[in-house]
Short mmCIF file of all heavy atoms in Angstrom, two decimals:
data_model
loop_
_atom_site.label_atom_id
_atom_site.label_comp_id
_atom_site.label_asym_id
_atom_site.label_seq_id
_atom_site.Cartn_x
_atom_site.Cartn_y
_atom_site.Cartn_z
N ALA L 670 0.77 -1.19 0.02
CA ALA L 670 -0.01 -0.01 0.01
C ALA L 670 0.88 1.28 0.01
O ALA L 670 0.36 2.37 -0.25
CB ALA L 670 -0.93 -0.01 1.22
N GLN L 671 2.17 1.13 0.31
CA GLN L 671 3.03 2.32 0.39
C GLN L 671 4.12 2.36 -0.64
O GLN L 671 4.69 3.41 -0.92
CB GLN L 671 3.67 2.33 1.78
CG GLN L 671 2.72 2.51 2.87
CD GLN L 671 3.43 2.50 4.22
OE1 GLN L 671 4.58 2.87 4.33
NE2 GLN L 671 2.73 2.08 5.26
N LEU L 672 4.42 1.24 -1.24
CA LEU L 672 5.54 1.15 -2.22
C LEU L 672 5.05 0.53 -3.49
O LEU L 672 4.03 -0.11 -3.59
CB LEU L 672 6.60 0.22 -1.62
CG LEU L 672 7.25 0.66 -0.30
CD1 LEU L 672 8.11 -0.42 0.27
CD2 LEU L 672 7.99 1.94 -0.43
N PRO L 673 5.84 0.70 -4.52
CA PRO L 673 7.08 1.54 -4.66
C PRO L 673 6.81 2.99 -4.80
O PRO L 673 5.66 3.37 -5.01
CB PRO L 673 7.75 0.94 -5.95
CG PRO L 673 6.57 0.60 -6.80
CD PRO L 673 5.51 0.08 -5.84
N ALA L 674 7.83 3.79 -4.66
CA ALA L 674 7.75 5.25 -4.86
C ALA L 674 7.33 5.60 -6.27
O ALA L 674 7.63 4.83 -7.21
CB ALA L 674 9.11 5.84 -4.50
N GLU L 675 6.63 6.67 -6.37
CA GLU L 675 6.41 7.32 -7.67
C GLU L 675 7.65 8.18 -7.87
O GLU L 675 8.00 8.96 -7.02
CB GLU L 675 5.14 8.18 -7.66
CG GLU L 675 3.88 7.50 -7.19
CD GLU L 675 3.32 6.49 -8.20
OE1 GLU L 675 3.98 6.24 -9.18
OE2 GLU L 675 2.21 6.04 -7.97
N ALA L 676 8.33 8.05 -9.00
CA ALA L 676 9.65 8.65 -9.09
C ALA L 676 9.88 9.40 -10.41
O ALA L 676 9.21 9.11 -11.45
CB ALA L 676 10.72 7.57 -9.00
N ILE L 677 10.74 10.37 -10.39
CA ILE L 677 11.19 11.09 -11.54
C ILE L 677 12.72 10.79 -11.66
O ILE L 677 13.46 10.96 -10.70
CB ILE L 677 11.00 12.58 -11.43
CG1 ILE L 677 9.51 12.95 -11.28
CG2 ILE L 677 11.59 13.35 -12.65
CD1 ILE L 677 9.25 14.41 -11.05
N TYR L 678 13.07 10.35 -12.83
CA TYR L 678 14.49 10.05 -13.09
C TYR L 678 15.14 11.01 -14.06
O TYR L 678 14.40 11.45 -15.05
CB TYR L 678 14.63 8.62 -13.68
CG TYR L 678 14.37 7.53 -12.71
CD1 TYR L 678 13.06 7.11 -12.45
CD2 TYR L 678 15.37 6.98 -11.95
CE1 TYR L 678 12.81 6.08 -11.58
CE2 TYR L 678 15.11 5.96 -11.04
CZ TYR L 678 13.82 5.53 -10.85
OH TYR L 678 13.60 4.54 -9.95
N GLU L 679 16.37 11.38 -13.88
CA GLU L 679 17.08 12.10 -14.92
C GLU L 679 17.71 11.11 -15.85
O GLU L 679 18.50 10.26 -15.48
CB GLU L 679 18.20 12.99 -14.26
CG GLU L 679 18.99 13.76 -15.26
CD GLU L 679 20.10 14.62 -14.60
OE1 GLU L 679 20.12 14.75 -13.36
OE2 GLU L 679 20.89 15.15 -15.36
N LEU L 680 17.29 11.18 -17.13
CA LEU L 680 17.74 10.17 -18.05
C LEU L 680 18.92 10.70 -18.81
O LEU L 680 18.94 11.80 -19.38
CB LEU L 680 16.59 9.88 -19.07
CG LEU L 680 15.35 9.27 -18.40
CD1 LEU L 680 14.26 9.05 -19.49
CD2 LEU L 680 15.62 8.01 -17.70
N LYS L 681 19.90 9.81 -18.98
CA LYS L 681 21.13 10.02 -19.75
C LYS L 681 21.34 8.71 -20.55
O LYS L 681 20.78 7.69 -20.21
CB LYS L 681 22.28 10.30 -18.84
CG LYS L 681 22.19 11.54 -18.01
CD LYS L 681 23.37 11.68 -17.07
CE LYS L 681 23.18 12.90 -16.19
NZ LYS L 681 24.12 13.02 -15.13
N GLN L 682 22.24 8.81 -21.49
CA GLN L 682 22.55 7.57 -22.30
C GLN L 682 22.97 6.47 -21.34
O GLN L 682 23.82 6.66 -20.46
CB GLN L 682 23.71 7.90 -23.24
CG GLN L 682 24.11 6.74 -24.09
CD GLN L 682 23.21 6.58 -25.33
OE1 GLN L 682 22.60 7.54 -25.78
NE2 GLN L 682 23.21 5.41 -25.88
N GLY L 683 22.29 5.35 -21.39
CA GLY L 683 22.63 4.16 -20.59
C GLY L 683 21.99 4.14 -19.18
O GLY L 683 22.27 3.23 -18.44
N THR L 684 21.14 5.13 -18.84
CA THR L 684 20.46 5.07 -17.60
C THR L 684 19.61 3.84 -17.42
O THR L 684 18.88 3.41 -18.36
CB THR L 684 19.55 6.34 -17.39
OG1 THR L 684 20.33 7.51 -17.41
CG2 THR L 684 18.74 6.22 -16.08
N ASN L 685 19.74 3.17 -16.26
CA ASN L 685 18.99 1.97 -15.92
C ASN L 685 18.51 2.12 -14.53
O ASN L 685 19.32 2.10 -13.58
CB ASN L 685 19.82 0.70 -16.17
CG ASN L 685 19.02 -0.55 -15.94
OD1 ASN L 685 17.94 -0.60 -15.31
ND2 ASN L 685 19.55 -1.68 -16.49
N ALA L 686 17.19 2.20 -14.28
CA ALA L 686 16.60 2.37 -12.99
C ALA L 686 16.36 1.02 -12.32
O ALA L 686 15.95 0.99 -11.14
CB ALA L 686 15.34 3.15 -13.03
N GLY L 687 16.61 -0.06 -13.05
CA GLY L 687 16.55 -1.39 -12.37
C GLY L 687 15.21 -2.12 -12.50
O GLY L 687 15.11 -3.31 -12.02
N TRP L 688 14.16 -1.51 -12.99
CA TRP L 688 12.90 -2.17 -13.05
C TRP L 688 12.92 -3.31 -14.04
O TRP L 688 13.51 -3.15 -15.15
CB TRP L 688 11.80 -1.19 -13.49
CG TRP L 688 10.41 -1.76 -13.48
CD1 TRP L 688 9.71 -2.22 -14.52
CD2 TRP L 688 9.61 -1.91 -12.29
NE1 TRP L 688 8.51 -2.71 -14.07
CE2 TRP L 688 8.44 -2.55 -12.75
CE3 TRP L 688 9.78 -1.61 -10.98
CZ2 TRP L 688 7.40 -2.88 -11.89
CZ3 TRP L 688 8.74 -1.93 -10.10
CH2 TRP L 688 7.53 -2.55 -10.56
N PRO L 689 12.41 -4.45 -13.76
CA PRO L 689 11.60 -4.86 -12.59
C PRO L 689 12.44 -5.47 -11.45
O PRO L 689 11.85 -5.93 -10.52
CB PRO L 689 10.66 -5.88 -13.22
CG PRO L 689 11.52 -6.57 -14.22
CD PRO L 689 12.43 -5.52 -14.74
N PHE L 690 13.73 -5.48 -11.57
CA PHE L 690 14.60 -6.13 -10.59
C PHE L 690 14.65 -5.38 -9.26
O PHE L 690 14.81 -6.04 -8.19
CB PHE L 690 15.98 -6.33 -11.15
CG PHE L 690 15.98 -7.02 -12.44
CD1 PHE L 690 16.29 -6.33 -13.63
CD2 PHE L 690 15.61 -8.37 -12.59
CE1 PHE L 690 16.28 -6.93 -14.88
CE2 PHE L 690 15.62 -8.97 -13.85
CZ PHE L 690 15.94 -8.25 -14.95
N THR L 691 14.49 -4.07 -9.27
CA THR L 691 14.52 -3.31 -8.06
C THR L 691 13.32 -2.28 -8.11
O THR L 691 12.74 -2.07 -9.17
CB THR L 691 15.83 -2.48 -7.91
OG1 THR L 691 15.92 -1.47 -8.97
CG2 THR L 691 17.02 -3.36 -7.94
N TYR L 692 13.06 -1.80 -6.96
CA TYR L 692 12.08 -0.68 -6.81
C TYR L 692 12.71 0.31 -5.86
O TYR L 692 13.55 -0.04 -5.04
CB TYR L 692 10.76 -1.18 -6.31
CG TYR L 692 10.78 -1.75 -4.91
CD1 TYR L 692 10.59 -0.93 -3.79
CD2 TYR L 692 11.14 -3.08 -4.62
CE1 TYR L 692 10.59 -1.40 -2.51
CE2 TYR L 692 11.15 -3.61 -3.38
CZ TYR L 692 10.91 -2.75 -2.28
OH TYR L 692 10.99 -3.22 -1.04
N TYR L 693 12.24 1.56 -5.97
CA TYR L 693 12.83 2.58 -5.01
C TYR L 693 11.86 2.78 -3.83
O TYR L 693 10.69 2.95 -3.95
CB TYR L 693 12.95 3.94 -5.73
CG TYR L 693 13.78 4.91 -4.97
CD1 TYR L 693 15.18 4.77 -4.91
CD2 TYR L 693 13.20 5.88 -4.19
CE1 TYR L 693 15.95 5.65 -4.12
CE2 TYR L 693 13.96 6.74 -3.44
CZ TYR L 693 15.35 6.58 -3.41
OH TYR L 693 16.08 7.46 -2.64
N ASP L 694 12.45 2.68 -2.62
CA ASP L 694 11.75 2.84 -1.38
C ASP L 694 11.95 4.29 -0.88
O ASP L 694 13.08 4.57 -0.49
CB ASP L 694 12.21 1.78 -0.32
CG ASP L 694 11.46 1.87 0.96
OD1 ASP L 694 11.14 3.01 1.43
OD2 ASP L 694 11.27 0.78 1.55
N GLN L 695 10.97 5.10 -0.99
CA GLN L 695 11.11 6.53 -0.60
C GLN L 695 11.32 6.67 0.94
O GLN L 695 11.90 7.71 1.34
CB GLN L 695 9.93 7.33 -1.06
CG GLN L 695 8.65 7.13 -0.27
CD GLN L 695 7.82 5.96 -0.74
OE1 GLN L 695 8.19 5.15 -1.56
NE2 GLN L 695 6.62 5.77 -0.17
N ASN L 696 10.97 5.72 1.71
CA ASN L 696 11.16 5.85 3.19
C ASN L 696 12.66 5.54 3.53
O ASN L 696 13.25 6.25 4.35
CB ASN L 696 10.24 4.89 3.91
CG ASN L 696 8.81 5.19 3.65
OD1 ASN L 696 8.41 6.36 3.62
ND2 ASN L 696 8.02 4.15 3.38
N LEU L 697 13.22 4.46 2.89
CA LEU L 697 14.55 4.12 3.15
C LEU L 697 15.56 4.92 2.27
O LEU L 697 16.79 4.92 2.53
CB LEU L 697 14.81 2.64 2.88
CG LEU L 697 14.06 1.67 3.72
CD1 LEU L 697 14.24 0.22 3.32
CD2 LEU L 697 14.42 1.82 5.21
N LYS L 698 15.03 5.55 1.27
CA LYS L 698 15.81 6.39 0.30
C LYS L 698 16.86 5.53 -0.40
O LYS L 698 17.97 5.95 -0.56
CB LYS L 698 16.44 7.64 1.02
CG LYS L 698 15.43 8.57 1.57
CD LYS L 698 16.05 9.82 2.11
CE LYS L 698 15.14 10.82 2.65
NZ LYS L 698 13.80 10.78 2.66
N LYS L 699 16.41 4.34 -0.85
CA LYS L 699 17.33 3.53 -1.61
C LYS L 699 16.58 2.50 -2.45
O LYS L 699 15.39 2.16 -2.08
CB LYS L 699 18.39 2.84 -0.76
CG LYS L 699 17.83 1.87 0.28
CD LYS L 699 18.99 1.29 1.08
CE LYS L 699 18.53 0.34 2.12
NZ LYS L 699 19.63 -0.17 2.91
N ALA L 700 17.23 1.98 -3.42
CA ALA L 700 16.62 0.90 -4.26
C ALA L 700 16.69 -0.39 -3.53
O ALA L 700 17.69 -0.73 -2.89
CB ALA L 700 17.41 0.82 -5.59
N MET L 701 15.63 -1.10 -3.66
CA MET L 701 15.52 -2.46 -2.93
C MET L 701 15.28 -3.57 -3.97
O MET L 701 14.68 -3.31 -5.02
CB MET L 701 14.38 -2.41 -1.92
CG MET L 701 14.39 -1.25 -0.93
SD MET L 701 15.92 -1.32 0.07
CE MET L 701 15.58 -2.77 1.09
N LEU L 702 15.72 -4.75 -3.67
CA LEU L 702 15.53 -5.90 -4.54
C LEU L 702 14.05 -6.22 -4.53
O LEU L 702 13.43 -6.40 -3.44
CB LEU L 702 16.38 -7.12 -4.04
CG LEU L 702 16.36 -8.30 -4.90
CD1 LEU L 702 16.94 -8.04 -6.27
CD2 LEU L 702 17.17 -9.45 -4.23
N SER L 703 13.44 -6.37 -5.68
CA SER L 703 12.01 -6.69 -5.78
C SER L 703 11.70 -8.04 -5.27
O SER L 703 12.56 -9.00 -5.44
CB SER L 703 11.55 -6.58 -7.28
OG SER L 703 11.65 -5.30 -7.72
N PRO L 704 10.57 -8.30 -4.66
CA PRO L 704 10.23 -9.60 -4.12
C PRO L 704 10.24 -10.71 -5.14
O PRO L 704 10.60 -11.86 -4.80
CB PRO L 704 8.77 -9.38 -3.59
CG PRO L 704 8.62 -7.98 -3.42
CD PRO L 704 9.52 -7.30 -4.40
N GLU L 705 9.87 -10.35 -6.38
CA GLU L 705 9.85 -11.38 -7.45
C GLU L 705 11.25 -11.90 -7.70
O GLU L 705 11.36 -12.96 -8.41
CB GLU L 705 9.26 -10.80 -8.77
CG GLU L 705 7.82 -10.33 -8.59
CD GLU L 705 7.65 -8.90 -8.03
OE1 GLU L 705 8.70 -8.34 -7.63
OE2 GLU L 705 6.57 -8.41 -7.97
N TYR L 706 12.25 -11.21 -7.31
CA TYR L 706 13.68 -11.61 -7.56
C TYR L 706 14.43 -11.90 -6.25
O TYR L 706 15.60 -11.74 -6.17
CB TYR L 706 14.35 -10.53 -8.39
CG TYR L 706 13.70 -10.42 -9.71
CD1 TYR L 706 12.64 -9.41 -9.93
CD2 TYR L 706 13.99 -11.23 -10.79
CE1 TYR L 706 12.01 -9.39 -11.18
CE2 TYR L 706 13.37 -11.15 -12.01
CZ TYR L 706 12.41 -10.24 -12.21
OH TYR L 706 11.70 -10.16 -13.40
N GLY L 707 13.70 -12.27 -5.21
CA GLY L 707 14.31 -12.64 -3.95
C GLY L 707 14.34 -11.61 -2.90
O GLY L 707 14.88 -11.78 -1.81
N GLY L 708 13.79 -10.44 -3.15
CA GLY L 708 13.79 -9.33 -2.16
C GLY L 708 12.80 -9.60 -1.04
O GLY L 708 11.77 -10.31 -1.23
N ASP L 709 13.09 -9.11 0.12
CA ASP L 709 12.26 -9.28 1.32
C ASP L 709 11.96 -7.96 2.05
O ASP L 709 11.53 -7.98 3.21
CB ASP L 709 12.93 -10.26 2.26
CG ASP L 709 14.25 -9.78 2.71
OD1 ASP L 709 14.70 -8.65 2.34
OD2 ASP L 709 14.94 -10.50 3.49
N GLY L 710 12.20 -6.86 1.39
CA GLY L 710 11.99 -5.57 2.04
C GLY L 710 13.22 -5.08 2.76
O GLY L 710 13.28 -3.91 3.18
N ALA L 711 14.26 -5.96 2.86
CA ALA L 711 15.48 -5.58 3.57
C ALA L 711 16.72 -5.66 2.65
O ALA L 711 17.74 -5.04 2.93
CB ALA L 711 15.70 -6.49 4.81
N LYS L 712 16.60 -6.47 1.57
CA LYS L 712 17.77 -6.61 0.70
C LYS L 712 17.82 -5.44 -0.27
O LYS L 712 16.83 -5.17 -1.01
CB LYS L 712 17.64 -7.92 -0.12
CG LYS L 712 17.69 -9.17 0.71
CD LYS L 712 17.52 -10.39 -0.16
CE LYS L 712 17.47 -11.64 0.76
NZ LYS L 712 17.14 -12.80 -0.03
N PRO L 713 18.94 -4.73 -0.28
CA PRO L 713 19.09 -3.61 -1.21
C PRO L 713 19.25 -4.12 -2.67
O PRO L 713 19.65 -5.24 -2.95
CB PRO L 713 20.36 -2.93 -0.75
CG PRO L 713 21.15 -4.01 -0.02
CD PRO L 713 20.18 -4.91 0.55
N GLY L 714 18.86 -3.22 -3.57
CA GLY L 714 19.08 -3.54 -4.97
C GLY L 714 20.53 -3.34 -5.40
O GLY L 714 21.35 -2.80 -4.61
N ASP L 715 20.85 -3.70 -6.60
CA ASP L 715 22.22 -3.59 -7.09
C ASP L 715 22.60 -2.11 -7.25
O ASP L 715 21.81 -1.30 -7.79
CB ASP L 715 22.31 -4.29 -8.47
CG ASP L 715 23.73 -4.50 -8.90
OD1 ASP L 715 24.52 -3.56 -8.85
OD2 ASP L 715 24.01 -5.64 -9.36
#
């Protein structure tokens, strides 16, 4: 009900925000590993 964040990215050549492998948690202020790829809400994204 709270995640993932709605986000604005600055795009440059080669930018990769990680979707669907990661999502951005606005509360923790970091990318997290998505549950579908082994994330548990505590594992950070790459």
Side-chain angles (χ1 to χ4, degrees):
Q671 297 179 27
L672 299 171
E675 306 286 12
I677 299 174
Y678 289 87
E679 180 179 349
L680 299 179
K681 298 176 184 171
Q682 182 82 23
T684 296
N685 185 339
W688 187 261
F690 308 107
T691 65
Y692 65 91
Y693 192 79
D694 183 321
Q695 73 276 8
N696 301 315
L697 297 175
K698 298 185 179 356
K699 64 182 179 179
M701 305 301 289
L702 186 62
S703 295
E705 299 84 354
Y706 297 93
D709 59 2
K712 293 178 185 172
D715 193 313

